[in-house]
Amino acid sequence: MPADVPVVEQPVNAWQRWFWLWHVFFAIDYLVTVGLVLAETGSATARTIAVAAITAIALSYPFSARRQLTARGELVFAAAVLLLAAVAILATSAAGFALFAVCPMVFMSAPMPVAVVVVSLMILLPPLSAWLRNGFGDPSMSVLLPITALLIIFSICIGFWFERVLRQSQERAQLIEQLEATRAEVARLSHEAGTSAERERLAREIHDTLAQGFTSILTLLQAVESEWGDEKAMRRHVDLAARTARDNLAEARAMVAALTPSALASGTLEDAVRRQTERLHEESAIEVSFMPGDLPTLGTATEVVLLRAAQEALTNARRHSGASRISVELSAVDGRVRLTVTDDGRGFDPGNPTEGFGLKGMRARAEQVGGTLAVHSGPGTTVTVEVPA
């Protein structure tokens, strides 16, 4: 991923955020169960065995997460917990309080079918312990057995609910990760698209300003060579070349500073287009006329499109058409501003697939502001650019 694309921090799963409460509950259940076992009367050996078995279960708790165990390890872990719980509860009935924490731990560590069987056997341990101590005729058995059956059903339902919520949480976490990855990819692609569009825009700016200015300077210097010895004509061409160079320098500085044409920074669109026509007339023998219209207030982006289109159309007419007259018109028509550049040159085939960069740039500029470009040629050429007012 590119360094300039922001890296999104992965969200924390809700279960991960609140899972520490389960750790606290397990610790409390362990301490309460150990306290009740030690408070029971009876054999000290039995109490010691029960506490040791419960402590062994507590020590195995950090390994109860299913993602830390292999498929075979899950079965071994569930069997070991069942064995330790049986030892503790058969040693003393008070150890049965450990099941409040041990049963959920089995659901977290073993597959659902195995967990249901193991938890059901664990819940049967307290009545089994009472039956071994007091016999099946104990009056408490008539109450203990129905309660045990209800606890088994309740535990299984809670286990399935816990499994479903955990699975949904994991799926949601995966979905969030995918969405974050997709968002990062979209950001990267948007950055690349923006960079590419900016490069194309700068290429058009350079082509429509600096490259055309350098072409004019080169043409004027070639004219100086052809008129060598005519001091007046040479001076006029040199003055025009110097002025063009100064204008080019101003354009370059404007592009670096704010990427706004210097011609528009110092006047209106009409003034800028008029200066372009006057310069073309001074630099060549072409007769150029300009007809401004009553234009509405335009945004800078729209004015740039029209100015660059006028520059490109005039340059093409001068370099390729062999025209003797060019007319430029700016007008407002039906809520749109229209620039029309017409020459009486030799024309060309507008359907020629080898369209130059200039026309492509003009069309791309116009489309950026919702405008259109139309070219009609042969003999004579008319270039029309329309943009929303």
Side-chain angles (χ1 to χ4, degrees):
M1 184 178 297
D4 47 7
V5 177
V7 178
V8 181
E9 185 177 348
Q10 294 298 331
V12 179
N13 191 308
W15 282 90
Q16 296 172 337
R17 185 182 296 114
W18 298 105
F19 204 75
W20 64 271
L21 292 175
W22 169 248
H23 303 329
V24 174
F25 170 74
F26 188 89
I28 293 174
D29 184 74
Y30 168 75
L31 294 176
V32 170
T33 302
V34 169
L36 292 174
V37 169
L38 295 177
E40 262 201 349
T41 59
S43 171
T45 302
R47 293 200 299 272
T48 302
I49 293 173
V51 170
I54 295 172
T55 302
I57 295 175
L59 294 176
S60 68
Y61 170 70
F63 306 99
S64 62
R66 190 177 301 176
R67 63 179 180 273
Q68 299 181 11
L69 299 170
T70 63
R72 185 175 181 181
E74 293 170 356
L75 299 178
V76 173
F77 183 83
V81 170
L82 174 61
L83 179 61
L84 292 172
V87 170
I89 294 173
L90 293 178
T92 172
S93 59
F97 284 93
L99 296 180
F100 287 106
V102 175
C103 290
M105 189 172 73
V106 172
F107 278 115
M108 287 191 300
S109 61
M112 184 56 62
V114 176
V116 168
V117 174
V118 172
V119 168
S120 299
L121 293 175
M122 284 183 176
I123 296 175
L124 289 173
L125 289 175
L128 177 61
S129 176
W131 176 68
L132 293 176
R133 285 187 179 84
N134 306 319
F136 194 75
D138 187 355
S140 63
M141 294 296 291
S142 60
V143 178
L144 189 58
L145 289 178
I147 291 178
T148 300
L150 290 175
L151 286 176
I152 291 175
I153 296 174
F154 177 76
S155 298
I156 292 174
C157 292
I158 290 297
F160 275 103
W161 174 83
F162 184 85
E163 175 75 11
R164 180 180 179 185
V165 171
L166 184 60
R167 184 172 61 253
Q168 289 179 344
S169 180
Q170 292 172 344
E171 292 174 353
R172 189 178 297 111
Q174 293 175 357
L175 178 60
I176 291 175
E177 291 179 359
Q178 293 173 0
L179 290 175
E180 295 295 346
T182 302
R183 189 171 71 176
E185 179 68 11
V186 169
R188 183 184 67 80
L189 294 176
S190 298
H191 174 76
E192 292 180 356
T195 301
S196 178
E198 183 65 12
R199 286 173 179 169
E200 292 180 4
R201 190 177 72 86
L202 288 176
R204 289 193 298 268
E205 289 285 345
I206 293 172
H207 175 272
D208 293 344
T209 55
L210 304 183
Q212 292 180 2
F214 291 140
T215 301
S216 297
I217 293 173
L218 180 60
T219 302
L220 291 169
L221 293 179
Q222 290 173 344
V224 170
E225 291 180 352
S226 65
E227 297 180 0
W228 198 265
D230 187 344
E231 183 177 353
K232 184 177 180 181
M234 289 173 56
R235 182 177 297 278
R236 185 172 67 87
H237 289 312
V238 170
D239 290 342
L240 288 174
R243 190 177 71 180
T244 302
R246 285 192 295 270
D247 291 344
N248 249 28
L249 180 60
E251 285 287 354
R253 288 172 176 171
M255 289 175 61
V256 173
L259 296 178
T260 299
S262 58
L264 292 177
S266 59
T268 64
L269 173 64
E270 293 91 333
D271 295 336
V273 175
R274 180 180 287 106
R275 284 195 294 270
Q276 293 294 323
T277 58
E278 292 173 352
R279 178 185 301 175
L280 177 60
H281 177 65
E282 292 176 355
E283 295 177 355
S284 65
I286 301 175
E287 180 182 342
V288 186
S289 62
F290 174 56
M291 293 174 287
D294 186 12
L295 303 183
T297 302
L298 301 175
T300 301
T302 303
E303 289 186 339
V304 169
V305 169
L306 294 172
L307 175 60
R308 297 308 187 208
Q311 290 175 328
E312 180 64 26
L314 291 173
T315 300
N316 288 342
R318 174 183 178 179
R319 294 174 60 185
H320 306 298
S321 71
S324 60
R325 286 194 301 273
I326 301 176
S327 65
V328 180
E329 181 180 1
L330 273 174
S331 59
V333 181
D334 297 331
R336 299 174 71 84
V337 174
R338 177 183 298 169
L339 167 70
T340 304
V341 181
T342 304
D343 66 68
D344 61 353
R346 67 179 64 93
F348 66 100
D349 181 9
N352 191 337
T354 59
E355 186 181 77
F357 183 84
L359 288 179
K360 290 180 180 179
M362 292 170 65
R363 179 171 286 106
R365 282 182 181 277
E367 291 175 352
Q368 284 181 349
V369 295
T372 59
L373 168 71
V375 181
H376 302 281
S377 183
T381 301
T382 300
V383 177
T384 304
V385 178
E386 287 191 0
V387 295

